[in-house]
């Protein structure tokens, strides 16, 4: 395993086994994840300066070498959204999206991290699904997406969402490590309230996520109000149906004043009817919830359509209740194929519309 995928507890164990004093673990963690030697976030090169003695570093790196991501391309959308494409050590492509607040008032900066190469779950409307499953990313590869993004904009994101390529609950061990590293004050130090894990509905993983401390926020990609429709567009529903999924959401140990975010991608003529709008709040009864409506972002070759703006607004109005906030997630970065469900990186391929965009970097 990559040295950067180890939690502070594991680093302490390794330091102890090497017969070194405990404070070396803090130095190591700061070297691997803190600002300093390797740039804004963590070391990227094994020979970067450190307070940790060279011999100890070399011994630990021999067991767990750094496995870096290489920045392959950066594309910036006209709305300021930036998509990074990385190349892994085994030549896989991974994408990460950095989304500045469109209202600019509170300078919110959200980073959308990928946790797998491709995805196994086969959602009919999602570009990542068309890639099939490649492999799990390590926690090191996840935190490095953050460090590259921080270096690129000279700023730490205010929020991180595990909503890029892949299913976080299908790689929960590494996602949990990444969360603990990102939260640690010696690293990026983001509050768990600023971190969100999103799932297509892997119920066994949901119960395990409920045991993680500190708890991140939970988002569930619901996308349908009947099993008949959900079975069709999200094969995961054939394994855990709506009743099983919502029961798991109901028993999820939400913190005080916290809500589960239900993402609901709107497809014209599939799940955007008034009947759906009436059913949705009933399904979420007894779960402190909020709903994010996402008008479908086109993926070439997939047989869906985005509803009209009027239909999206009407749907929102019907779903909204005093105790159920409903937001419309306006597409961000869709000209750069960086919007929800459009991540489908393949190395060597030019993203759709690439030449119309401002290319902010090209490293190979
Ligand atoms: N596998 C996890 C994490 C990915 S999040 C999950 O499903 O939650 C990606 C989000 O984008 C999900 O809410 C998904 O429903 C949504 N999505 C996928 N394809 C989309 C598309 N083409 N347009 C809009 N949203 C899409």
């Amino acid at each position: 395993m990559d040295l950067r995928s180890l939690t502070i507890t594991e680093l302490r164990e390794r330091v102890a086994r090497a017969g070194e004093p405990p404070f070396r673990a803090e130095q190591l963690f700061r070297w691997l994840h803190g600002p300093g030697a390797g740039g804004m976030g963590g070391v990227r090169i094994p020979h970067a300066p450190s307070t940790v003695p060279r011999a100890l570093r070399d011994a630990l790196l021999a067991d767990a070498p750094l496995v870096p991501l290489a920045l392959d391309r950066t594309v910036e959308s006209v709305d300021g959204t930036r998509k990074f494409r990385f190349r892994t050590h085994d030549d896989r492509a991974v994408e990460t999206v950095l989304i500045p607040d469109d209202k600019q008032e509170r300078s919110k900066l959200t980073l959308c991290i990928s946790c797998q190469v491709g995805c196994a779950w086969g959602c009919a409307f999602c570009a990542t699904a068309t890639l099939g499953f490649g492999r799990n990313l390590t926690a090191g590869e996840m935190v490095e997406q953050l460090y590259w993004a921080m270096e690129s904009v000279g700023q730490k994101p205010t929020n991180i969402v595990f909503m890029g390529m892949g299913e976080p609950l299908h790689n929960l061990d590494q996602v949990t490590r990444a969360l603990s590293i990102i939260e640690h004050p010696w690293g990026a130090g983001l509050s768990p309230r600023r971190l969100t894990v999103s799932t297509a509905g892997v119920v066994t993983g949901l119960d395990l996520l409920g045991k993680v401390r500190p708890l991140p926020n939970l988002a569930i990609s619901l996308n349908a109000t009947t099993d008949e429709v959900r079975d069709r567009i999200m094969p995961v529903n054939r394994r855990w149906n709506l009743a099983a999924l919502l029961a798991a959401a109901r028993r999820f140990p939400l913190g005080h004043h916290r809500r589960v975010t239900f993402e609901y991608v709107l497809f014209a003529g599939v799940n955007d009817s008034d009947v759906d709008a009436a059913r949705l709040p009933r399904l979420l009864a007894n779960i402190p919830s909020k709903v994010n409506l996402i008008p479908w972002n086109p993926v070439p070759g997939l047989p869906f359509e985005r509803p009209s703006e009027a239909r999206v607004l009407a749907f929102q109005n019907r779903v909204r209740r005093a105790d159920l906030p409903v937001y419309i997630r306006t597409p961000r970065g869709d000209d750069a194929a960086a919007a929800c469900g459009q991540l489908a990186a393949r190395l060597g391929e030019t993203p759709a519309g690439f030449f119309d965009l401002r290319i902010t970097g090209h490293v190979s």
Side-chain angles (χ1 to χ4, degrees):
M1 197 182 300
D2 181 348
L3 197 56
R4 231 182 333 213
S5 297
L6 301 184
T7 62
I8 182 66
T9 314
E10 289 166 330
L11 283 177
R12 287 199 175 104
E13 285 160 12
R14 296 210 176 196
V15 164
R17 250 187 280 144
E20 292 279 339
F23 68 84
R24 295 283 182 220
E26 173 173 351
Q27 291 178 332
L28 263 172
F29 193 93
R30 287 185 188 277
W31 176 60
L32 292 165
H33 302 288
M40 269 205 75
V43 60
R44 201 158 286 130
I45 33 174
H47 46 81
S50 163
T51 44
V52 185
R54 187 63 191 261
L56 175 60
R57 272 186 281 152
D58 286 350
L60 294 175
L61 285 168
D63 266 358
L66 295 182
V67 185
L69 288 182
L71 183 61
D72 187 47
R73 244 174 202 177
T74 312
V75 185
E76 190 169 327
S77 153
V78 289
D79 66 16
T81 299
R82 261 186 221 206
K83 180 164 84 170
F84 303 89
R85 185 166 79 195
F86 300 103
R87 182 190 293 269
T88 63
H89 70 96
D90 56 348
D91 272 342
R92 316 278 193 137
V94 172
E95 292 183 332
T96 306
V97 183
L98 189 64
I99 311 146
D101 187 10
D102 44 353
K103 289 169 215 87
Q104 307 255 300
E105 353 158 290
R106 293 237 250 76
S107 61
K108 186 172 162 199
L109 185 65
T110 303
L111 184 69
C112 181
I113 284 185
S114 291
C115 66
Q116 295 179 322
V117 176
C119 185
W121 296 89
C123 296
F125 47 83
C126 176
T128 306
T130 64
L131 301 174
F133 180 65
R135 70 165 170 86
N136 281 330
L137 295 182
T138 65
E141 287 170 321
M142 290 179 231
V143 297
E144 207 177 350
Q145 295 172 50
L146 165 65
Y147 303 157
W148 271 112
M150 277 161 69
E151 208 161 271
S152 145
V153 293
Q155 201 185 334
K156 186 163 80 177
T158 56
N159 298 68
I160 296 182
V161 294
F162 288 76
M163 294 185 184
M165 303 166 79
E167 169 51 49
L169 299 190
H170 189 206
N171 186 16
L172 187 57
D173 173 52
Q174 295 297 318
V175 166
T176 307
R177 289 162 180 281
L179 289 170
S180 90
I181 292 167
I182 290 168
E183 285 154 8
H184 204 286
W186 299 336
L190 261 92
S191 153
R193 293 184 163 265
R194 304 274 180 183
L195 308 179
T196 300
V197 172
S198 180
T199 181
V202 179
V203 165
T204 42
L206 234 163
D207 287 327
L208 291 171
L209 181 70
K211 301 195 169 97
V212 169
R213 294 295 176 277
L215 260 185
N217 295 306
L218 172 65
I220 294 178
S221 302
L222 195 65
N223 299 348
T225 62
T226 63
D227 281 321
E228 188 255 313
V229 171
R230 202 164 190 270
D231 278 352
R232 205 148 36 88
I233 62 175
M234 298 183 74
V236 66
N237 198 68
R238 297 175 207 156
R239 183 116 160 242
W240 295 285
N241 65 13
L242 276 172
L245 176 59
L246 294 168
R250 219 165 273 128
R251 63 179 177 260
F252 192 79
L254 275 185
H256 203 49
H257 291 317
R258 297 175 98 180
R259 291 169 186 268
V260 179
T261 300
F262 285 92
E263 293 155 287
Y264 193 94
V265 181
L266 283 163
F267 310 100
V270 175
N271 66 352
D272 65 341
S273 70
D274 287 350
V275 181
D276 287 298
R279 262 191 306 248
L280 183 51
R282 288 207 294 272
L283 288 176
L284 307 184
N286 308 320
I287 307 173
S289 315
K290 67 178 175 209
V291 173
N292 271 348
L293 300 176
I294 314 174
W296 184 65
N297 294 308
V299 177
L302 299 189
F304 295 93
E305 267 175 66
R306 181 187 290 184
S308 71
E309 212 176 311
R311 178 86 290 259
V312 173
L313 288 171
F315 194 90
Q316 177 190 35
N317 282 328
R318 283 180 179 268
V319 175
R320 193 163 34 199
R321 274 189 331 220
D323 61 336
L324 183 64
V326 181
Y327 305 100
I328 297 171
R329 203 191 277 169
T330 46
R332 303 296 309 279
D334 51 348
D335 58 342
C340 294
Q342 292 187 319
L343 303 186
R346 293 174 216 256
L347 289 172
E349 259 181 25
T350 300
F354 187 79
F355 293 110
D356 303 332
L357 298 160
R358 188 140 59 89
I359 302 168
T360 55
H362 184 175
V363 188
S364 12

